[in-house]
Amino acid sequence: MQAQWSTRLAGAGAGLVNGLFGGGGGMVLIPVLSRQGRLKDRQLFATSVAVILPVCAVSAAVYLFRGSVPLAAAAPYLVGGALGGILGGKTYGKVSTLWLRRLFAAFVLYGGVRYLL
Amino acid sequence: MKEWLIPLLCGALTGMVSAWGVGGGTLLLLVMTLVLGVDQRTAQGINLLFFLPTAAAALFVHRKNGFLDRPTVRQAAPWGAAAAAAGAWIATFVDPAVLKKPFALFLLYTGASTLVRSFLPQKEKKSGSG
C-alpha cells in the first residue's frame, strides 16, 4: 500500500519535472524505485523508461500543441537518437558506465552552476 | 551539412549512453543549451521529442528481455502523464527565464546525488548474461 503510493507520487513528480523542464523525469523516479528495493538494476531502468515514455509523449504533445517545437530542427537529433538507442540497447550491460556516470554528474553540476549564474 | 551532422552525432551519442542508463534525459538538453546554443524552450521541446523514438527503441529490446515490471508502470504512468500535462502547460506559458533557477537547483541536486551514488557500493551491477 505504502509502496504503491510512493510509486504513484514518484510518477507524478517525474511527470511534473519532465513537463516543466523538458526532461529529467527519470532522475525523480529511479531513486524512489531504487529505495523501494524490489527491482534489480536492469528491471529498474527498463521499468522507468516504460513510465517516462508515456509521460514524455504527453509533454511533447503539449509542447507541439503550443507551437514550441520546430520539427525540422528536431529531425537530425531524432534520427541520431534512434540509431544510438538501438546500439545502446544491444550493448547494454557490456560496458562499464561508472566513469561515464561520474563524467555525466560533473557535467550536470556544471550545468547547474551555469543556469544559476 | 554541418547543420544536421552535429545534431545527428549529438543525438546518437546521447541516445546510446542514455540507453545504458546514463544521462537521464537531461544530457542532450544540456548539450543543446550549453554547447550548441539552442534556446531553452526549443531545446526542451526537441529533448522531449528526442526521447520518444530513443526510448521506444530501447524499450523494445528491454521488453523482449523481460525486464519490465508491469505493476510499477501501471501505478506510476497515469500519475506521471497527468502531472506532465500540467508541467508542460506551465512551461509553455511562463517566461523561460522564470524556470532557470528551479532548473539550476534540479541540476545541482541531480548532479550531486548521481555523483554520490556512483561512489556507493553497487548491488550486483552487472548480473546476468550481459
Side-chain angles (χ1 to χ4, degrees):
Chain A
M1 189 66 197
Q2 206 183 2
Q4 271 189 23
W5 275 103
S6 83
T7 304
R8 286 178 187 138
L9 288 177
L16 189 67
V17 163
N18 185 279
L20 275 180
F21 304 139
M27 296 296 190
V28 178
L29 188 61
I30 290 180
V32 176
L33 295 183
S34 176
R35 228 166 287 140
Q36 290 178 357
R38 289 179 302 116
L39 304 176
K40 292 217 173 79
D41 274 358
R42 296 181 78 157
Q43 281 181 310
L44 187 69
F45 178 62
T47 302
S48 85
V49 172
V51 174
I52 301 296
L53 184 61
V55 162
C56 251
V58 169
S59 298
V62 174
Y63 276 69
L64 278 174
F65 177 69
R66 301 271 302 135
S68 297
V69 196
L71 288 175
Y77 292 101
L78 300 195
V79 174
L83 296 174
I86 292 167
L87 193 65
K90 283 195 191 303
T91 52
Y92 186 82
K94 290 175 185 155
V95 186
S96 171
T97 55
L98 183 62
W99 283 98
L100 206 58
R101 208 175 291 278
R102 288 176 185 161
L103 200 66
F104 166 69
F107 183 58
V108 170
L109 284 172
Y110 163 76
V113 172
R114 281 279 302 270
Y115 272 93
L116 206 55
L117 300 177
Chain B
M1 170 150 150
K2 232 185 157 182
E3 303 90 75
W4 59 263
L5 188 61
I6 300 286
L8 188 110
L9 289 176
C10 288
L13 196 70
T14 51
M16 187 172 71
V17 298
S18 59
W20 293 341
V22 181
T26 50
L27 180 57
L28 179 66
L29 184 61
L30 291 176
V31 168
M32 282 189 283
T33 58
L34 298 179
V35 182
L36 303 180
V38 180
D39 86 83
Q40 183 68 28
R41 191 173 288 171
T42 304
Q44 292 189 186
I46 292 175
N47 197 55
L48 285 168
L49 276 187
F50 171 82
F51 192 79
L52 300 177
T54 312
L59 203 56
F60 179 75
V61 180
H62 286 313
R63 198 179 68 111
K64 223 170 53 181
N65 293 334
F67 288 127
L68 291 192
D69 185 58
R70 282 162 208 283
T72 302
V73 177
R74 274 199 295 270
Q75 284 162 23
W79 286 69
W89 199 257
I90 294 168
T92 52
F93 261 106
V94 300
D95 183 345
V98 173
L99 294 172
K100 267 184 99 172
K101 291 278 183 301
F103 188 49
L105 295 178
F106 173 70
L107 290 175
L108 291 173
Y109 170 76
T110 296
S113 65
T114 303
L115 204 57
V116 168
R117 262 181 290 133
S118 82
F119 284 100
L120 296 177
Q122 294 287 314
K123 14 151 200 153
E124 51 173 334
K125 183 85 200 126
K126 277 188 283 182
S127 62
S129 57

